[in-house]
């Protein structure tokens, strides 16, 4: 493993910052010469092509690609150098949509969503609308990154936010290797603070879930077993509690794709994903009930397609022009990265799906 | 024919051994799968045993497979290395304990 990168692919002027280049890689080589079937061919075997969107349940908003971390596996290619930030106008358009949609979950992601200057205003306004489940994907370290964020646990509690946080391992070594030096200690401190407010405690309504994704070219293990191991270790070592663990597969795009290629793991990883293909997971892939909105208001089937600049296949393409009746039943735009959602028990922002 | 005895890509083809004897191949893979299921020992413990044995058997396929399996289960590299030392200790112990046989033989043959 090389030393940790401190800049996004975009800032480094990497070839892979270009989404077309990523899509090319995902379509050429082993998928062009027939060594592995394309995702389209694979789901056609079980008559699951085209994948279609069902009723919208989750609206996932990416409020910007800026982040205080530069994790090696990041599919967003986020970092402090990214300047794409959602404006208040776009947020207002989203609020208008939330009022009319039947989606029960609002899911804020980034980057570090808290770094958007309008984040708190948006949370306050959106919580007035009253969605059932209001998620903020917080990377934990942001809570300890700067004094101005120290009160985030109280802010989350005030608005009954469901906090979902990434934690690659229960040991310092593995965590810091993926996410940067010092990340483990800061994350532990942030988790303890959330626990102090009642987050993640048994029976508490203040939901605190953790996201685990592997730190390397391998698939996540069984979610229930990992959850047990995480719970035991975090409780014994740090007296930390949380509710659920979501095991998420790394999709071969952006920085993770860059890592796979640089470490010569790309082909093996794609083989592993295809070998673990599970048709039962296809039924419930995230894009069937989720819609992703980018920082500039465009609509995508999922956050991954957003990063690959693959817009929704619908006449309704932007939040200002949101029409649920046009979006429902749309054909999902797919490529070989989709194998990441259908391996083993499947993978989504809510963990396994099958 | 390949120019080396071992090719990492061959590991993926392991299942193909059944093609030349379906019945025994199936029986083996059924058995193999069953062995590694959660039982009195956890699947995690079994993975570490497999990793240690993979090394004492010096099978490069098994080493690759169970190193990856361990990572997938969240097993740390410290745990993996400790398991290897168990394998190594038994290997060297097994060598050295035969020293008793050597000593017996020497004692018997020498006047
Ligand atoms: S993985 Fe999350 S915390 Fe890490 S750089 Fe990407 S957005 Fe930031
Ligand atoms: S990557 Fe996106 S479009 Fe592809 S299966 Fe997963 S959620 Fe659906």
């Amino acid at each position: 493993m090389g030393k940790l990168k401190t800049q996004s692919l975009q800032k480094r002027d990497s070839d892979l910052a270009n989404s077309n280049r990523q899509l090319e890689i995902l379509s050429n080589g082993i998928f062009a010469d027939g060594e592995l079937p394309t995702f389209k061919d694979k789901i056609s075997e079980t008559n699951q092509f085209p994948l279609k969107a069902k009723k919208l349940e989750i609206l996932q908003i990416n409020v910007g690609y800026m982040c205080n971390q530069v994790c090696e596996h990041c599919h967003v290619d986020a970092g402090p150098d990214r300047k794409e930030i959602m404006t208040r106008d776009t947020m207002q358009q989203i609020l208008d949509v939330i009022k009319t949609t039947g989606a029960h979950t609002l899911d804020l992601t980034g980057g570090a969503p808290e770094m958007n200057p309008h984040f708190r205003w948006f949370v306050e306004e959106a919580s007035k609308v009253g969605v059932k489940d209001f998620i903020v994907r917080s990377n934990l370290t942001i809570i300890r990154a700067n004094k101005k964020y120290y009160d985030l646990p109280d802010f989350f509690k005030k608005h009954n936010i469901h906090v979902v946080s990434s934690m690659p391992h229960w040991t310092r070594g593995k965590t810091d290797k993926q996410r940067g030096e010092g990340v483990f200690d800061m994350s532990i401190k942030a988790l303890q603070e959330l626990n102090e407010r009642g987050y993640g405690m048994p029976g508490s309504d203040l939901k605190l879930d953790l996201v685990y994704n592997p730190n390397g070219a391998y698939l996540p293990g069984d979610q229930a077993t990992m959850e047990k191991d995480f719970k035991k270790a975090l409780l014994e070592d740090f007296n930390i509690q949380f509710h659920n663990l979501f095991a998420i597969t790394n999709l071969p795009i952006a920085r993770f794709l860059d890592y796979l290629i640089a470490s010569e793991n790309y082909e093996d990883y794609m083989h592993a994903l295809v070998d673990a293909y599970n048709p039962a997971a296809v039924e419930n892939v995230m894009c069937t009930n989720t819609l992703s909105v980018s920082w500039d208001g465009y609509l995508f089937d999922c956050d991954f397609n957003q990063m690959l600049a693959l817009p929704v296949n619908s006449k309704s393409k932007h939040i200002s022009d949101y029409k649920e009746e046009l979006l429902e039943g749309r054909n999902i735009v797919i490529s070989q990265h989709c194998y990441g959602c259908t391996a083993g028990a499947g993978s989504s922002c809510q963990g396994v799906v099958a | 024919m390949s120019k080396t005895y071992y090719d990492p890509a061959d590991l993926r083809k392991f299942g193909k051994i059944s093609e030349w004897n379906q019945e025994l191949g199936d029986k083996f893979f059924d058995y193999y799968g069953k062995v590694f299921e959660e039982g009195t020992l956890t699947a995690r413990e079994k993975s570490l045993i497999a990793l240690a044995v993979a090394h004492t058997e010096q099978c490069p396929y098994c080493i690759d497979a169970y190193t990856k399996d361990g990572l997938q289960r969240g097993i740390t590299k410290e745990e993996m290395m400790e398991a290897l030392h168990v394998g190594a200790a038994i290997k060297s112990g097994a060598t050295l304990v035969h020293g008793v046989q050597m000593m017996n033989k020497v004692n018997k043959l020498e006047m």
Side-chain angles (χ1 to χ4, degrees):
Chain A
M1 288 283 288
K3 123 176 185 321
L4 282 168
K5 309 280 193 309
T6 53
Q7 292 182 326
S8 65
L9 293 171
Q10 197 192 56
K11 179 86 177 175
R12 281 184 263 150
D13 253 335
S14 159
D15 201 24
L16 280 183
N18 177 341
S19 55
N20 281 331
R21 180 73 195 114
Q22 296 182 45
L23 286 165
E24 246 171 60
I25 293 171
L26 288 168
S27 299
N28 294 345
I30 41 180
F31 291 102
D33 68 15
E35 184 173 329
L36 289 176
T38 62
F39 190 69
K40 180 182 169 193
D41 288 347
K42 196 74 189 171
I43 62 173
S44 299
E45 282 172 15
T46 42
N47 294 321
Q48 285 166 300
F49 179 80
L51 265 180
K52 281 192 181 291
K54 301 178 210 159
K55 202 176 145 19
L56 181 72
E57 295 181 55
I58 304 169
L59 199 58
Q60 190 175 61
I61 320 284
N62 194 315
V63 298
Y65 304 157
M66 188 183 278
C67 190
N68 58 318
Q69 295 184 186
V70 195
C71 305
E72 232 187 329
H73 69 289
C74 183
H75 78 267
V76 178
D77 191 27
D81 55 57
R82 296 298 299 257
K83 303 288 181 254
E84 299 87 340
I85 285 288
M86 186 176 277
T87 63
R88 197 151 155 161
D89 285 349
T90 306
M91 287 178 170
Q92 186 57 57
Q93 291 170 340
I94 293 171
L95 288 170
D96 296 341
V97 166
I98 300 171
K99 285 177 195 150
T100 62
T101 156
H104 54 63
T105 299
L106 185 63
D107 184 341
L108 299 195
T109 188
E114 301 93 332
M115 289 179 89
N116 182 308
H118 315 294
F119 169 76
R120 294 189 191 221
W121 172 80
F122 185 58
V123 169
E124 276 158 15
E125 294 302 311
S127 48
K128 284 184 206 156
V129 183
V131 278
K132 222 172 104 205
D133 190 9
F134 192 171
I135 296 172
V136 171
R137 293 187 185 264
S138 175
N139 69 22
L140 292 177
T141 60
I142 190 73
I143 297 178
R144 305 297 312 162
N146 185 302
K147 264 205 188 110
K148 68 177 175 190
Y149 299 122
Y150 284 2
D151 67 326
L152 276 171
D154 292 316
F155 178 78
F156 289 151
K157 181 175 176 173
K158 184 167 167 219
H159 297 285
N160 198 20
I161 295 299
H162 173 177
V163 178
V164 177
S165 293
S166 349
M167 192 84 195
H169 204 261
W170 56 83
T171 58
R172 180 175 290 108
K174 282 200 158 206
T175 302
D176 287 0
K177 196 162 165 189
Q178 181 188 82
R179 304 181 79 83
E181 211 164 306
V183 165
F184 184 75
D185 290 341
M186 275 165 100
S187 304
I188 290 295
K189 178 89 181 72
L191 285 172
Q192 284 166 339
E193 296 208 347
L194 286 163
N195 274 175
E196 274 168 29
R197 309 301 190 285
Y199 266 104
M201 304 309 280
S204 169
D205 287 338
L206 295 168
K207 296 293 274 172
L208 172 62
D209 296 329
L210 296 186
V211 165
Y212 159 82
N213 55 293
N215 35 337
Y218 53 91
L219 308 185
D222 174 64
Q223 180 168 282
T225 312
M226 295 295 294
E227 181 179 290
K228 226 169 56 201
D229 292 345
F230 261 87
K231 283 199 164 161
K232 186 167 174 283
L234 288 180
L235 187 66
E236 275 174 12
D237 297 349
F238 305 101
N239 204 22
I240 285 171
Q241 310 207 56
F242 66 93
H243 290 131
N244 300 302
L245 181 93
F246 304 146
I248 298 190
T249 303
N250 286 312
L251 261 68
I253 67 169
R255 289 213 283 269
F256 191 66
L257 179 60
D258 179 60
Y259 153 76
L260 286 176
I261 294 170
S263 61
E264 295 181 3
N265 278 306
Y266 171 72
E267 291 194 2
D268 275 346
Y269 191 74
M270 294 315 286
H271 267 279
L273 288 181
V274 177
D275 285 350
Y277 173 78
N278 175 6
V282 179
E283 274 311 303
N284 300 312
V285 278
M286 183 165 68
C287 47
T288 57
N289 70 349
T290 304
L291 194 66
S292 149
V293 187
S294 63
W295 65 278
D296 50 356
Y298 285 92
L299 306 179
F300 298 87
D301 295 311
C302 66
D303 206 49
F304 306 112
N305 282 8
Q306 182 184 139
M307 302 315 149
L308 290 170
L310 296 169
V312 275
N313 184 0
S314 163
K315 285 215 174 70
S316 176
K317 285 198 184 308
H318 192 267
I319 195 75
S320 57
D321 176 33
Y322 180 88
K323 293 198 183 58
E324 207 147 301
E325 64 283 6
L326 290 179
L327 288 157
E328 206 172 304
R330 73 184 183 276
N331 290 349
I332 304 289
V333 183
I334 55 168
S335 179
Q336 282 51 260
H337 64 294
C338 296
Y339 274 118
C341 294
T342 58
S347 173
S348 76
C349 288
Q350 267 69 35
V352 300
V353 299
Chain B
M1 286 298 280
S2 93
K3 294 218 171 54
T4 53
Y5 284 104
Y6 289 114
D7 177 354
D10 283 348
L11 176 55
R12 292 199 287 266
K13 301 180 194 149
F14 189 11
K16 285 189 193 291
I17 62 142
S18 302
E19 286 174 9
W20 289 9
N21 189 324
Q22 196 66 40
E23 190 197 348
L24 293 179
D26 287 351
K27 278 194 156 65
F28 166 76
F29 284 113
D30 276 356
Y31 167 73
Y32 193 100
K34 199 83 200 150
V35 164
F36 281 95
E37 278 175 12
E38 201 86 14
T40 316
L41 295 180
T42 62
R44 192 178 200 277
E45 288 162 339
K46 291 180 188 187
S47 176
L48 280 166
I49 295 172
L51 182 71
V53 177
H55 281 79
T56 59
E57 288 298 312
Q58 296 178 342
C59 168
Y61 299 118
C62 304
I63 292 172
D64 273 9
Y66 284 94
T67 302
K68 194 166 169 184
D69 186 74
L71 289 172
Q72 285 177 345
R73 293 178 193 282
I75 294 174
T76 62
K77 52 183 195 249
E78 291 79 10
E79 291 173 299
M80 290 188 197
M81 189 53 90
E82 232 172 271
L84 253 60
H85 277 289
V86 174
I90 293 295
K91 255 313 227 209
S92 53
T95 306
L96 289 173
V97 75
H98 284 82
V100 178
Q101 188 179 342
M102 170 191 77
M103 290 160 82
N104 287 344
K105 192 73 181 169
V106 168
N107 289 340
K108 181 164 184 218
L109 293 178
E110 264 185 353
M111 286 188 359

